[in-house]
Amino acid sequence: MTDTTPALRELPDADAQAFAADVGPRTLLEAFRAYVARVRGGESGALPAVLGAALLVVIFANTSDVFLSKGNFANLLQQAAQISVLGMGMVFVLLIGEIDLSAGTAGGVCAAGMALALNQDGDLRLALGTGVFVVLMLIMAATVVLAALSRLWIPAVIIALGIVVAVAQLGSTQLLAMFLSVAVGTSIGTLIGFLVARIGIPSFIVTLALFLAWQGALLTFIGTGAAIPTRNYDLVNNIENGYMPVVFAWVVWALAMVAYLGTTARRAITRRRAGLSAEPLALVLVRAGALTAVTGLAVFVLNQDRSRTVFAKIQGVPWSVLLVAVVFVFWTLILARTQYGRFIYAVGGSRAAARRAGIDVARVRMSCFIICSGMAGLAGIIGASYLGGVPSDFGKNTDVLYAVGAAVIGGTSLFGGRGKIRDAIIGAIVIAMIPNGLNLIPNISSAYVFLVTGLVLLVAAGADALSRRRPAED
């Protein structure tokens, strides 16, 4: 009998040949053609938001001489910081096809807890009253149990440490008070995730109810028309009102650019050598060059003196920009480079398929709500820094709408399964740009801010719906 093994080795089957050839575009031109094909197929990503931002820049630059000034550029980034952080948390919820309407007021509750702890030397029991304090601790303890039962160990530890900070009256330290804000947000997210993922109540109903409940909690904590000041606490205040030293900003920028180029180029080369799909090295270099040029120009402008008087100097990159950048990089790596991130996309794409693949769907859904509310706690800190305190109506107006809008305008789908963390950043800049630019135009009504923002969000949601319909029709 003739041995056919060598022949089989020399002539791999069609599937193997197809797999071996599936290494992605090899040149910059092929990558561009592939991108155009994706856009035509409905996967436009952040392109509409980028084009929209460019259009707004052109319009506002021609209607106001102040819009492109150094001072207004810094103001724009500071105004977008809170929306960016809240939007990044919202991306996780939207990726699994859910929504969180309570994120804005949840951030207010978290920030109020931080501010009360700071103003009362860490004694939340004195600030809230014994009854309210005991109820809060019991709720947080219950969410520790719920997180542990779902094997969500990191949230369980964060909430438990938050309880320790509150009970041991350690909140007089600014870092620990800020940690308490995130811990309260994590506890809120655990409660929401349990009600949605384990009990089965629709997220719209749960978060709408809690949106109202947290407003009542804020009024209980602060009082009608009152506010808790935070301006006297340097660490909190400097997040939005402080600036990085010029040399430090340049060093951080340089290290970030080198790290980005090194990791992306290494990944492309390694995957190509392994015969896997990878971006052309030329594309990686072009993207890194463009990112270096844009961010370098931003750092250069922000490091210039933008004071309007000769008696003071205002220069440097706001600390809030660095905070947003660090959070952005962290969550981008989680979504794009971890198994957990792939699970999120799988659950958002099809819960049934994810469940058949062995993914604990309820656990993943619950974790996304925890991330969203934890980020709301961080956004609350930024908002308190920007306002100089926590008013009783914190987060109840447009915060959550702007967060959802930022994610959707940036390219995240309302239907789940599609989106990136960068979408929240791009969308937040677009949303912040609208009131920033309109308020610089003389004699224009504030009503146009809501009209234009609503129109932009409607267009973004419509584009998302149409892009979803096109592949189905094909």
Side-chain angles (χ1 to χ4, degrees), residues 35-411:
Y35 175 73
V36 171
R38 289 196 302 272
V39 172
R40 288 179 175 177
E43 298 181 21
S44 56
L47 180 61
V50 173
L51 295 177
L55 179 61
L56 289 175
V57 169
V58 172
I59 293 173
F60 291 139
N62 283 279
T63 55
S64 172
D65 296 332
V66 181
F67 182 75
L68 292 180
S69 65
K70 294 174 289 187
N72 190 60
F73 179 56
N75 290 338
L76 176 62
L77 296 181
Q78 290 168 309
Q79 291 163 4
Q82 181 186 2
I83 304 173
S84 297
V85 172
L86 197 58
M88 282 189 275
M90 195 65 67
V91 166
F92 283 87
V93 174
L94 293 176
L95 279 176
I96 58 172
E98 303 285 358
I99 195 166
D100 187 351
L101 299 176
S102 69
T105 51
V109 170
C110 299
M114 173 196 71
L116 287 171
L118 289 173
N119 282 271
Q120 296 293 338
D121 293 326
D123 192 349
L124 273 180
R125 185 185 62 80
L126 177 63
L128 298 174
T130 302
V132 175
F133 177 76
V134 170
V135 171
L136 176 62
M137 293 301 101
L138 288 175
I139 293 174
M140 293 184 69
T143 55
V144 170
V145 175
L146 293 177
L149 289 175
S150 297
R151 295 178 292 112
L152 295 167
W153 306 115
I154 294 178
V157 170
I158 291 174
I159 301 168
L161 291 176
I163 294 174
V164 172
V165 171
V167 173
Q169 300 182 10
L170 302 176
S172 57
T173 303
Q174 294 183 61
L175 273 177
L176 291 179
M178 288 189 282
F179 175 81
L180 178 62
S181 176
V182 176
V184 172
T186 305
S187 179
I188 290 172
T190 303
L191 176 62
I192 296 173
F194 175 77
L195 294 174
V196 174
R198 299 295 184 184
I199 303 300
I201 307 174
S203 60
F204 181 86
I205 300 299
V206 172
T207 57
L208 178 60
L210 292 179
F211 169 79
L212 299 173
W214 302 144
Q215 290 184 48
L218 267 177
L219 292 175
T220 302
F221 292 172
I222 302 174
T224 305
I228 312 171
T230 58
R231 197 173 295 280
N232 295 328
Y233 301 95
D234 292 341
L235 192 59
V236 175
N237 185 63
N238 285 340
I239 292 175
E240 278 282 48
N241 301 292
Y243 307 98
M244 299 162 57
V246 172
V247 175
F248 180 76
W250 280 118
V251 170
V252 170
W253 170 81
L255 291 176
M257 293 301 100
V258 170
Y260 175 78
L261 176 60
T263 54
T264 53
R266 179 178 177 275
R267 184 169 185 269
I269 294 173
T270 302
R271 289 181 62 85
R272 185 70 68 179
R273 286 177 178 174
L276 300 174
S277 177
E279 295 178 328
L281 184 59
L283 177 61
V284 172
L285 296 176
V286 168
R287 185 188 293 123
L291 182 63
T292 300
V294 172
T295 55
L297 178 61
V299 172
F300 174 78
V301 171
L302 292 171
N303 279 337
Q304 305 302 305
D305 181 18
R306 48 187 180 272
S307 175
R308 296 183 179 181
T309 69
V310 296
F311 303 104
K313 180 176 286 189
I314 301 176
Q315 62 181 155
V317 179
W319 285 107
S320 58
V321 173
L322 178 61
L323 176 60
V324 170
V326 170
V327 174
F328 163 72
V329 171
F330 175 77
W331 288 126
T332 296
L333 292 176
I334 293 295
L335 272 184
R337 298 285 185 268
T338 67
Q339 184 186 64
Y340 171 67
R342 292 190 290 273
F343 284 177
I344 292 176
Y345 283 108
V347 171
S350 172
R351 290 181 198 170
R355 191 174 289 108
R356 287 195 296 270
I359 298 174
D360 189 339
V361 172
R363 183 168 176 251
V364 171
R365 295 175 68 205
M366 190 170 173
S367 68
C368 288
F369 282 102
I370 293 173
I371 292 172
C372 183
S373 294
M375 292 293 286
L378 181 58
I381 299 171
I382 298 174
S385 176
Y386 184 78
L387 297 174
V390 183
S392 58
D393 62 347
F394 191 107
K396 84 172 198 177
N397 295 318
T398 58
D399 288 18
V400 69
L401 301 179
Y402 283 175
V404 174
V408 174
I409 289 170

